[in-house]
Amino acid sequence: TEIAGVAIDSQGNSPDHARRYKVELSKDGKQWNPAAEGGGSSVTEIIFKAPQKGRFLRITQGGGASNHWSINELVLLKK
C-alpha cells in the first residue's frame, strides 16, 4: 500500500504524547526504511515528502518525559 503519512492522536491523554518520533516503513517486516522524524504534540500529522510503499509501519518514540507515551488513534493517510 502507498502511504502518504500518518496522523497520531493522543488528545485523550494529552500529556502522554511522544516528544519526538521516528516513523519507518517495511515491505517484509525485516528491512526498515526511514519515512519521517520530528517533534510530536497531542495531535501530530506527519506527511511524508513522497508517498512510500510498505506493509508494516513502525513508530519509535524519542525524547523524554516523566509520564508514559500513549496513542488514542492512529490514521494512515493515503495519497
Side-chain angles (χ1 to χ4, degrees):
T1 299
E2 277 203 348
I3 301 170
V6 295
I8 303 170
D9 181 354
S10 300
Q11 290 183 93
N13 300 313
S14 61
D16 294 349
H17 67 275
R19 301 311 190 256
R20 295 213 39 87
Y21 63 82
K22 179 171 71 171
V23 179
E24 299 169 285
L25 292 170
S26 173
K27 293 179 182 175
D28 60 8
K30 296 176 185 172
Q31 281 195 306
W32 294 91
N33 299 308
E37 62 181 278
S41 63
S42 59
V43 176
T44 303
E45 186 173 274
I46 305 159
I47 306 298
F48 303 154
K49 291 180 182 180
Q52 299 186 31
K53 288 190 176 190
R55 182 174 180 195
F56 301 93
L57 174 84
R58 175 166 65 187
I59 302 172
T60 305
Q61 190 270 139
S66 59
N67 50 332
H68 299 293
W69 178 47
S70 63
I71 295 175
N72 295 91
E73 187 173 351
L74 176 71
V75 178
L76 300 179
L77 307 172
K78 295 180 83 174
K79 71 173 199 173

